[in-house]
Amino acid sequence: MRIALALAFFAFLAPGARAAALDVTAQYKMRALSYRNLDLGQDVNNHAFLSNDARLGLAVKKIVLEPRGGDDTTLDLALLLHAVGVSGSTAAATSPFDRAAAYYPNTQLLPFIENAYLKVGRLWGFPLEATFGRQNFRLGSGLLLDDDGAGLTGAVVRGELPWAGMKAEAFVFQDRNPQLGAPNSLTLAGLSFDLPTEGTWQLNQLMERDQSQQLVYGCAYAGDPDLNGCMASKALRSFTSVRYQISYGPMVFDGEAALEKGVATPTGPTPAANHITYNGNAQVVRMKWKQSLYRTGEGVARVSLARGSGDDRATQTRDEAFYPSHGHRYSGLERSGFGEFYGATPYDAFGGNYSTSTKSGLPQSASGLMVVGAGYTPPAYHGFTLDLDFYLYQAEKVASGPRTLGTEWDARLRYPIRDQFTLSVGAAYFKSGITTDPNKSVARKYSFEASGRF
């Protein structure tokens, strides 16, 4: 807090500070959570706890650096503190919550710096905006890259191009691979182009330069087909995606398709091809239809489809499993994906198998994910809103047999007051498929949430 006050004080001493604006933001979310059968089989990994997610931010905006009439060069300074954790529980150190905990600098409800940046608008008098420091960042829909509330340190430059209303963005961040331990170094860099038409087309490019010691799953050396993976000293991965968004009357469509390429340098015994290659792909589609109903209000129907390629066991030194290091996965210590319990993405899920033979949470015999979801929100009744959703999960690749990972039913009742305070209760019922658990065990999640923001 002393840093934040000092930031505000020095900002107002700067030339042009009279035109500056001071913004203070605060957010808090408390969730009472109960999980049963997190291991999806034994029904022994059960947890109930209170989770906390708090933010406090301070920003000084529109500090005039160079007066240029209506196009002044301005400076914004911002600091955002973030704290996540659980009360009276060791859940953050327990699988599978430890995967989410490893993503954040701290999960003991002690503040860490999510944002600490300066932003320059109208740089050199051109329609450019440059942000330097620790900041939130999402590329496209988050399929390739999302900081998930942890923040990323680096630089982002955004600007308008002189053709067809196009916009461009370039970025570079230095971070770590959250799936790996030390030593760890991950550089993220890329570009994005927006082309407005009847909807909006977006082309995204991401490069990951990973210099961490890592195990490439699904890889095997010639003559040793039983090996679960190959050790690599570094990897260079490239992700390219195309996204299209349109809102047309009552219909909203958002779709993104991505390709992964790359190469890893092996250590230890040399594979037959002397290198390991990446060759994956993924697709995500979300559609929503709003319909006014007679005398009752507006209902919303939605459909979601997602697919991530799995690894082909026949290609011993090629990894076909689509897996970006910082794709969107988490919201605090919980999964954020398709399904309240399973929280699937095209590349991983909240499964019970985080062993040395898989990083996706899927059973060892399965790789890649396919998701089909459908839901409906009827018109609100006296301010209460009910969300109902169903999801079917399948593996994209399996060693043999069925591909079904499970099905899930979700229900949530919300009571929002404006856009600042919300109370909600929810329940999720997940039934394992044969691929996940031959006994088709059932897992459940119950939640109560109170959240507010200023």
Side-chain angles (χ1 to χ4, degrees):
M1 196 61 181
R2 293 178 180 176
I3 297 174
L5 292 175
L7 176 67
F9 176 75
F10 286 114
F12 276 100
L13 289 181
R18 293 182 180 180
L22 177 64
D23 284 357
V24 179
T25 59
Q27 292 178 285
Y28 178 70
K29 178 172 65 177
M30 186 203 76
R31 288 172 63 86
L33 300 166
S34 176
Y35 287 89
R36 290 200 62 86
N37 194 21
L38 279 165
D39 285 340
L40 301 177
Q42 301 297 321
D43 198 17
V44 294
N45 192 0
N46 306 317
H47 286 279
F49 55 86
L50 291 174
S51 74
N52 301 272
D53 193 325
R55 285 181 170 93
L56 177 62
L58 182 67
V60 184
K61 298 183 176 180
K62 303 299 182 183
I63 303 171
V64 177
L65 300 179
E66 293 182 355
R68 295 177 180 270
D71 296 324
D72 295 339
T73 299
T74 61
L75 174 67
D76 296 351
L77 296 169
L79 178 69
L80 177 63
L81 303 179
H82 189 184
V84 296
V86 297
S87 300
S89 174
T90 59
T94 305
S95 178
F97 299 108
D98 56 347
R99 286 297 182 97
Y103 198 86
Y104 297 92
N106 188 287
T107 55
Q108 304 298 318
L109 203 58
L110 296 175
F112 60 86
I113 296 177
E114 180 180 350
N115 289 174
Y117 65 80
L118 54 89
K119 181 190 296 182
V120 182
R122 298 293 302 183
L123 186 61
W124 300 306
F126 295 107
L128 292 176
E129 178 185 274
T131 307
F132 305 94
R134 192 161 186 85
Q135 57 197 280
N136 297 116
F137 187 82
R138 171 179 281 198
L139 182 62
S141 65
L143 176 64
L144 305 184
L145 177 60
D146 195 329
D147 73 285
D148 281 343
L152 292 168
T153 302
V156 178
V157 179
R158 301 179 178 93
E160 300 176 8
L161 299 179
W163 313 286
M166 291 181 63
K167 297 181 179 179
E169 178 180 73
F171 61 89
V172 59
F173 298 107
Q174 186 65 43
D175 204 82
R176 61 186 179 88
N177 192 324
Q179 284 81 42
L180 303 174
N184 198 318
S185 176
L186 180 67
T187 301
L188 304 163
L191 299 166
S192 179
F193 295 93
D194 288 0
L195 174 62
T197 56
E198 189 174 1
T200 300
W201 288 95
Q202 186 178 67
L203 175 64
N204 303 306
Q205 178 65 46
L206 169 67
M207 298 294 295
E208 293 186 357
R209 184 171 179 264
D210 193 345
Q211 294 182 289
S212 309
Q213 291 282 343
Q214 56 198 275
L215 184 66
V216 181
Y217 294 87
C219 171
Y221 300 137
D224 192 4
D226 296 327
L227 193 63
N228 289 323
C230 306
M231 288 301 301
S233 59
K234 58 184 178 180
L236 182 64
R237 294 179 285 266
S238 169
F239 298 87
T240 305
S241 80
V242 177
R243 184 187 186 193
Y244 182 68
Q245 297 173 280
I246 187 171
S247 180
Y248 186 79
M251 184 194 75
V252 178
F253 175 89
D254 187 354
E256 186 171 7
L259 294 174
E260 177 188 3
K261 299 289 183 180
V263 62
T265 302
T267 59
T270 303
N274 202 30
H275 61 274
I276 304 164
T277 58
Y278 298 93
N279 186 23
N281 60 85
Q283 304 81 36
V284 176
V285 173
R286 293 180 176 90
M287 296 175 285
K288 185 165 59 176
W289 181 276
K290 302 178 182 179
Q291 182 65 53
S292 296
L293 303 177
Y294 180 67
R295 289 189 177 182
T296 57
E298 185 178 74
V300 180
R302 55 190 167 271
V303 175
S304 53
L305 305 169
R307 173 192 167 275
S309 61
D311 181 60
D312 184 353
R313 289 172 172 248
T315 56
Q316 294 186 341
T317 58
R318 184 187 305 154
D319 186 359
E320 291 90 354
F322 183 85
Y323 206 95
S325 300
H326 269 275
H328 177 55
R329 291 177 177 85
Y330 305 114
S331 177
L333 293 178
E334 297 179 74
R335 292 283 307 186
S336 179
F338 297 98
E340 279 294 310
F341 174 85
Y342 206 49
T345 69
Y347 27 86
D348 59 5
F350 213 8
N353 184 10
Y354 287 107
S355 68
T356 57
S357 60
T358 172
K359 61 180 177 181
S360 63
L362 305 183
Q364 185 175 349
S365 61
S367 182
L369 271 159
M370 296 186 292
V371 182
V372 177
Y376 182 66
T377 299
Y381 180 75
H382 293 291
F384 288 91
T385 302
L386 178 65
D387 302 318
L388 298 171
D389 291 277
F390 171 78
Y391 297 96
L392 168 65
Y393 309 101
Q394 288 191 323
E396 209 271 337
K397 299 276 188 191
V398 293
S400 62
R403 296 188 177 189
T404 301
L405 297 168
T407 58
E408 180 170 331
W409 287 94
D410 294 341
R412 183 173 63 161
L413 185 64
R414 298 179 285 120
Y415 185 76
I417 299 178
R418 300 179 65 181
D419 195 26
Q420 294 179 295
F421 177 73
T422 301
L423 292 173
S424 70
V425 293
Y429 176 91
F430 178 87
K431 185 174 182 179
S432 301
I434 295 178
T435 304
T436 301
D437 179 12
N439 296 321
K440 296 185 177 181
S441 62
V442 170
R444 296 179 177 86
K445 174 185 176 182
Y446 303 101
S447 64
F448 168 79
E449 177 183 316
S451 62
R453 64 180 185 176
F454 168 75

